[in-house]
Amino acid sequence: MPKPRGRIVETTTFVDASHAANKVTQRSHSGYILFVNRAPVIWYSRRQNTVESSSISAEFIAMKTCIEAIQALRYKLRIFGVP
């Protein structure tokens, strides 16, 4: 990995899930938006693959998906030398 150089970037993320939003399949929807220096970089909105029994578990799955995207973005920024 190259040494970080330049300004530090600020990342902000908003995550949400709606439990059993689809009345037919009872699947929840996940969504997040990821900002880098107040500019939207990643937007995601999809139906979850599994049927969750509570809103907490639907939110947890949405958060897990978002954290994976954050880790991938941080890795890519680090490759380019962004701290």
Side-chain angles (χ1 to χ4, degrees), residues 1-21:
M1 290 277 182
K3 289 187 177 181
R5 54 193 149 99
R7 295 184 332 193
I8 295 175
V9 295
E10 177 185 335
T11 58
T12 308
T13 308
F14 298 99
V15 181
D16 194 25
S18 59
H19 178 252

Side-chain angles (χ1 to χ4, degrees), residues 6 21 35-36 40 45 48 52 55 67 79-80:
F35 294 89
V36 174
S45 178
Q48 293 180 357
E52 298 303 323
S55 62
I67 288 173
I79 288 174
F80 289 117

Side-chain angles (χ1 to χ4, degrees), residues 13-17 29-34 42 44 46 48-50 52 55-73:
T13 308
F14 298 99
V15 181
D16 194 25
H29 287 257
S30 296
Y32 62 83
I33 186 163
L34 196 143
I42 299 174
Y44 176 90
R46 299 258 166 86
Q48 293 180 357
N49 293 330
T50 59
E52 298 303 323
S55 62
I56 296 291
S57 58
E59 293 281 346
F60 181 79
I61 295 215
M63 184 64 73
K64 177 186 167 289
T65 306
C66 181
I67 288 173
E68 290 170 352
I70 292 170
Q71 289 174 336
L73 178 68

